[in-house]
């Protein structure tokens, strides 16, 4: 079965600092990978998704970027964090079929 | 535009039955999924409907009517541990490039 590894679990960063969140996938090859953000008490906002290495689609123009240097690695980055970047970031993946989405345990980011 | 509408809160009594609704308006539709998220945790997959009708998995059932752009999740024999947020999600694409758009979720509180 598919497992999504995501770290760190919590992160506190000052405004203007860079960000790098990494996600790796086990149990499936050539997965579709996703980054979602969840504000407190809200739904999941799709930020980026990828169907393959170096193939990234951005859903919401903003202060973040994503990269997929390897088949099972998906990275979320920012050069300069804003206060509004605070939230719960979730990496998710699914196989190239009708399988459901599997989520990592998330990173709770607080920008101060 | 894309939108999924869910009631924000539902309260029910232990042992009872509860129905949580979802209406959607999306540019593509390849199925409706339901996810459960406990406070502070990651969403986990519950059910998926690609075709009209009812899907049953234990105490959970999910219904879809594509002509009405409507679905619901039914929970029977409610338990205190069912207290969580429940999200419906529409799959907008098929296989490669397919992405899930989530609603804002319904927070279910189960009372003794």
């Amino acid at each position: 079965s598919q497992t999504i590894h995501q770290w760190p679990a919590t992160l506190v960063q000052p405004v203007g600092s860079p960000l790098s969140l990494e996600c790796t996938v086990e149990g499936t090859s050539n997965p579709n990978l996703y980054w979602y953000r969840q504000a407190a008490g809200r739904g999941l906002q799709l930020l980026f998704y990828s169907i393959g290495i170096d193939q990234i689609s951005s859903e919401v123009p903003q202060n973040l970027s994503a990269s997929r240097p390897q088949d099972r690695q998906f990275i979320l980055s920012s050069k300069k964090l804003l206060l509004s970047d605070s939230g719960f970031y979730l990496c998710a993946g699914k196989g190239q079929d009708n399988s459901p989405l599997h989520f990592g345990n998330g990173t709770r980011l607080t920008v101060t | 535009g894309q939108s999924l509408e869910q009631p924000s809160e539902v309260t029910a009594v232990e042992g009872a039955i509860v129905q949580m609704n979802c209406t959607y308006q999306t540019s593509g539709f390849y199925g409706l999924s339901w996810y459960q998220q406990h406070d502070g945790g990651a969403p986990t997959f519950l059910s998926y409907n690609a075709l009209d009708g009812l899907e049953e998995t234990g105490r959970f059932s999910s219904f879809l009517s594509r002509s009405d752009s409507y679905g619901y999740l039914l929970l029977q024999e409610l338990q205190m541990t069912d207290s969580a947020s429940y999200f419906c999600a529409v799959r907008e694409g098929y296989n490669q490039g397919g992405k899930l758009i989530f609603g804002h979720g319904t927070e279910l509180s189960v009372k003794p």
Side-chain angles (χ1 to χ4, degrees):
Chain A
S1 63
Q2 189 177 123
T3 304
I4 309 293
H5 298 282
Q6 189 180 345
W7 65 92
T10 59
L11 189 59
V12 180
Q13 292 283 103
V15 168
S17 64
L19 173 74
S20 180
L21 300 180
E22 188 166 344
C23 168
T24 58
V25 182
E26 285 183 9
T28 186
S29 59
N30 196 25
N32 287 349
L33 297 175
Y34 308 80
W35 278 110
Y36 286 89
R37 178 171 61 197
Q38 185 175 33
R42 300 296 302 276
L44 287 81
Q45 180 188 32
L46 179 61
L47 303 176
F48 301 94
Y49 72 97
S50 169
I51 62 172
I53 295 174
D54 294 330
Q55 300 179 70
I56 312 290
S57 296
S58 174
E59 289 297 299
V60 182
Q62 54 197 326
N63 188 39
L64 302 169
S65 62
S67 61
R68 186 170 176 178
Q70 300 179 43
D71 180 46
R72 301 182 187 186
Q73 184 185 29
F74 203 24
I75 299 171
L76 183 70
S77 304
S78 174
K79 293 182 179 178
K80 289 185 178 181
L81 284 168
L82 306 172
L83 287 174
S84 57
D85 291 325
S86 293
F88 190 42
Y89 288 82
L90 289 154
C91 178
K94 66 181 297 297
Q96 295 292 338
D97 55 14
N98 210 25
S99 57
L101 207 57
H102 292 270
F103 286 85
N105 289 329
T107 295
R108 194 163 304 279
L109 171 67
T110 303
V111 182
T112 60
Chain B
Q2 307 165 339
S3 69
L4 285 86
E5 299 293 331
Q6 297 182 253
S8 58
E9 297 177 349
V10 170
T11 300
V13 178
E14 193 175 14
I17 299 173
V18 70
Q19 177 176 314
M20 289 175 280
N21 300 322
C22 173
T23 58
Y24 59 88
Q25 182 179 349
T26 55
S27 56
F29 182 82
Y30 289 92
L32 184 71
S33 302
W34 289 90
Y35 287 77
Q36 178 192 58
Q37 185 181 30
H38 285 98
D39 195 30
T44 56
F45 171 76
L46 290 177
S47 187
Y48 173 69
N49 295 71
L51 303 175
D52 291 349
L54 194 68
E55 293 284 339
E56 298 180 70
T57 308
R59 295 189 297 115
F60 296 81
S61 301
S62 58
F63 173 81
L64 174 65
S65 170
R66 288 173 294 172
S67 60
D68 295 321
S69 297
Y70 164 76
Y72 66 72
L73 180 69
L74 192 76
L75 277 69
Q76 303 182 69
E77 302 172 17
L78 279 174
Q79 302 171 0
M80 299 295 289
T81 53
D82 293 328
S83 293
S85 292
Y86 292 83
F87 296 90
C88 61
V90 165
R91 187 177 181 187
E92 280 204 329
Y94 185 74
N95 282 346
Q96 288 198 355
K99 56 186 181 182
L100 263 67
I101 305 300
F102 283 79
H104 286 294
T106 297
E107 186 173 352
L108 171 65
S109 296
V110 180
K111 306 296 185 185

